[in-house]
Structure formats: structure tokens, C-alpha cells
């Protein structure tokens, strides 16, 4: 006879197994900005996508085992297409798809020996920011409505705390992208490194687009966002300021201090008179008797008393 295991213990073991599998990956984030919803996921693979489109204004993002959440993505696309065909395209909503995912994952978690090691986010962009919807579905079928932003998978608690510090309403796309990178590089979510464009998967639901709003950000545009998100380099002080600060002991021009090599006018000997043989004769000495005194300054007649040309 098989060993008896209580239902509580069996559910607890399944939950621990699923959490450990999900925590081995890297976290992903989804957040609102002024023009729609931004999704960012660390993903070095160009063939296996974590972020995809489900319907006109609805996107899908997941972490965990790729084969499991890819099957869920395809099933969600089929569900959305059938619902839109049987009823109306406006009847396909993120809330309906999230509830369908919750039922599917809840059934798998309860009846299967091995639960799915996945966490899913379903986001829908509305006509106005107040109509945006972001839902998080966990491995056991629980659904939570996340206003503004959500971090899921990996060390989601640390990433969510860091994202909360950087997030604000009405951010631009570059500001939202910088906040997402700062949260993904938070301590506890793997090694803190600088992300390259080839290591990120980025997509948006753009509110201004008609019909299908999903768009991936790649290549040149992603490089621009990375450059805008990096802090600007510190500006070094000019060399003139450094030179002037180093010669603080020298007297500035026009301060009245006696230059080096001249006598102090206040000393008893005083400066040499113009008639003294030792005094050098300057251009001002050859002026008319009515001109300015030697060594004096006349602002109206040029520099150093020399008549203007």
C-alpha cells in the first residue's frame, strides 16, 4: 500500500517545488508609462521569447519553464481568437484571459503530480491610463490585480521593492525603462551588471497605435533607450579654475598690491622720482608737462596713461 500523505502536506510540497523552480530564473517587470505599458525581461536568447502578443491590445509575459508557459501562451491565443470570433473583438479582455489562465493552472496544480513552474502576467492597454489592466497569475491559479507595476519570477520581492522606489505616475518611456533596469539590477536578483541590448527583451503596448498595439523594441531604438537610462558622466572643472585656485597667493591685477621687484610706496625711501637717473623712462615720461603724472592711471586716455591712438 502507498504511504499516506495528507492533502495539506501534498499541496505544500507542490508549492515549494514550484517556487524553487521559478526562483532559479531572473525576474521580469511590467509597468505603466504615459504612452502605454512597458515589459522588460532579461533574456539572452533571440529564439525563445518571454514576452508575446495575445490579442489586439493584450500582451503576455511569463517566467519559468519555457515549454510549459509556451503551451499556455498558445492556448491563450486560441482562446482569445475563438472568443473574438464567436462574439466580438471587444469582448476579449485581459480579465477574461487571466481568469481562464487561473482556472487552467489551478486544475493542473490540484490534479497533476507535478505543478507548472510558471508565473504569468497578462496586460491590456486602455484608451486612457485609468483603463490599463495588469494581472499576475501564479502557479497555483491565484490572480492578483497589479496597479501601476509588477515584478514577477526570480527574487520578485527585492525587485518589486526597488521598482517601487523608482516608479512614478506619468513617466516617459525612457524614464520607465531606466526604472525597470534599476529594479532588475537590484541586489538579490543575481549579479548586479550592466545590461546590453542583446541581453534584454523589451516590448510595449503603445496606446496611440490603432488596432494592434503590441510592438517590440529592438536594435537602434533599444540602444538609444540604454544610452538615455545611463547616468551622465561627471563634468570636470575647467583648467583655468584649477590654475587660478593654485595661485591664490598672487595678487590680482588692479588690486593695488605692489608687483614683485618694486618698492613699497609706504616705505620711507618711496619710489624713485622721474628725474632720478636710476628710474627707467617710459612712454609717459616723454609726454607734455600737462599730461598725467608718471605711473598714474587715466581711464580716459588709454592704458597706463598712454594717449590713445
Amino acid at each position: 500500500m502507498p504511504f499516506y500523505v495528507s492533502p495539506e502536506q501534498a499541496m505544500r510540497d507542490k508549492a515549494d517545488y514550484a517556487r524553487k523552480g521559478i526562483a532559479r530564473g531572473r525576474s521580469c517587470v511590467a509597468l505603466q508609462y504615459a504612452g502605454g505599458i512597458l515589459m522588460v525581461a532579461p533574456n539572452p536568447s533571440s529564439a525563445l521569447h518571454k514576452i508575446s502578443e495575445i490579442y489586439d491590445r493584450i500582451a503576455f509575459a511569463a517566467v519559468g519553464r519555457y515549454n510549459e508557459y509556451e503551451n499556455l501562451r498558445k492556448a491563450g491565443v486560441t482562446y482569445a481568437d475563438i472568443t473574438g470570433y464567436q462574439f466580438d473583438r471587444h469582448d476579449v479582455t485581459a480579465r477574461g484571459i487571466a481568469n481562464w489562465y487561473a482556472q487552467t493552472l489551478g486544475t493542473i496544480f490540484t490534479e497533476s503530480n507535478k505543478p507548472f513552474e510558471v508565473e504569468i502576467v497578462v496586460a491590456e492597454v486602455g484608451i486612457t491610463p485609468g483603463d490599463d489592466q495588469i494581472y499576475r497569475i501564479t502557479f497555483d491559479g491565484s490572480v492578483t490585480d497589479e496597479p501601476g507595476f509588477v515584478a514577477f519570477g526570480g527574487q520578485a520581492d527585492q525587485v518589486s521593492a526597488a521598482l517601487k522606489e523608482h516608479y512614478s505616475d506619468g513617466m516617459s518611456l525612457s524614464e520607465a525603462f531606466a526604472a525597470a533596469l534599476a529594479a532588475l539590477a537590484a541586489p538579490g536578483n543575481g549579479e548586479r551588471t550592466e545590461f546590453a541590448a542583446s541581453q534584454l527583451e523589451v516590448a510595449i503596448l503603445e496606446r496611440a497605435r490603432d488596432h494592434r498595439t503590441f510592438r517590440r523594441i529592438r536594435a537602434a531604438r533599444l540602444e538609444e533607450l540604454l544610452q538615455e537610462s545611463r547616468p551622465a558622466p561627471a563634468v570636470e572643472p575647467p583648467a583655468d579654475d584649477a590654475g587660478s585656485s593654485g595661485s591664490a597667493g598672487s595678487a590680482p591685477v588692479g588690486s593695488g598690491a605692489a608687483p614683485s621687484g618694486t618698492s613699497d610706496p609706504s616705505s620711507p625711501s618711496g619710489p624713485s622720482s622721474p628725474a632720478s637717473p636710476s628710474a627707467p623712462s617710459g612712454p609717459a615720461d616723454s609726454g607734455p608737462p600737462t599730461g598725467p603724472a608718471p605711473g598714474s592711471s587715466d581711464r580716459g586716455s588709454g592704458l597706463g596713461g598712454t594717449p590713445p591712438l
Side-chain angles (χ1 to χ4, degrees):
M1 294 180 63
F3 292 102
Y4 173 76
V5 179
S6 63
E8 294 84 357
Q9 184 64 38
M11 296 296 107
R12 193 179 302 114
D13 293 343
K14 288 182 180 181
D16 292 340
Y17 175 83
R19 289 194 190 96
K20 291 178 181 178
I22 296 170
R24 285 195 292 265
R26 296 291 300 271
S27 298
C28 303
V29 296
L31 65 159
Q32 288 180 282
Y33 70 100
I37 297 176
L38 170 69
M39 293 183 171
V40 183
N43 186 12
S45 175
S46 60
L48 310 179
H49 294 301
K50 294 183 178 181
I51 305 171
S52 300
E53 180 185 19
I54 288 187
Y55 212 60
D56 294 345
R57 309 180 71 86
I58 304 173
F60 169 95
V63 293
R65 284 188 174 271
Y66 173 77
N67 62 325
E68 294 177 350
Y69 67 69
E70 180 65 13
N71 290 333
L72 291 172
R73 184 193 69 84
K74 292 180 180 179
V77 171
T78 303
Y79 168 81
D81 286 340
I82 293 175
T83 303
Y85 179 78
Q86 289 180 340
F87 301 98
D88 188 79
R89 301 188 73 89
H90 296 286
D91 293 332
V92 182
T93 61
R95 180 179 301 175
I97 295 177
N99 289 332
W100 183 84
Y101 275 136
Q103 296 174 13
T104 303
L105 286 174
T107 302
I108 294 172
F109 180 79
T110 304
E111 298 180 356
S112 176
N113 292 329
K114 177 195 171 301
F116 275 17
E117 303 170 53
V118 296
E119 281 193 19
I120 296 173
V121 163
V122 179
E124 179 180 4
V125 63
I127 304 300
T128 62
D131 298 331
D132 294 345
Q133 300 177 14
I134 302 176
Y135 297 98
R136 177 184 179 185
I137 306 98
T138 57
F139 55 87
D140 59 352
S142 302
V143 182
T144 54
D145 184 8
E146 304 286 350
F149 64 90
V150 61
F152 57 103
Q155 305 299 323
D157 295 337
Q158 290 86 341
V159 177
S160 181
L163 187 58
K164 186 177 181 180
E165 297 177 359
H166 297 84
Y167 177 79
S168 61
D169 294 333
M171 293 188 298
S172 64
L173 179 58
S174 59
E175 293 173 345
F177 185 73
L181 287 187
L184 292 175
N189 189 39
E191 297 181 359
R192 187 184 180 92
T193 57
E194 291 289 338
F195 291 101
S198 59
Q199 298 173 334
L200 292 172
E201 183 179 359
V202 183
I204 60 173
L205 290 171
E206 194 171 359
R207 196 186 319 278
R209 298 187 72 181
D210 295 332
H211 192 46
R212 300 178 66 177
T213 61
F214 183 85
R215 181 167 65 92
R216 295 189 183 276
I217 298 179
R218 295 171 175 164
R221 180 54 179 152
L222 184 55
E223 290 288 352
E224 291 178 6
L225 289 177
L226 283 172
Q227 292 295 332
E228 294 173 1
S229 64
R230 294 191 178 102
V235 179
E236 297 182 357
D240 297 341
D241 296 345
S244 62
S245 61
S247 59
S250 60
V253 178
S255 62
S260 175
T262 60
S263 60
D264 188 0
S266 63
S267 62
S269 61
S272 301
S273 63
S276 177
S278 60
S281 60
D285 297 341
S286 61
T290 58
S296 64
S297 173
D298 187 357
R299 296 182 181 274
S301 59
L303 297 176
T306 305
L309 298 178

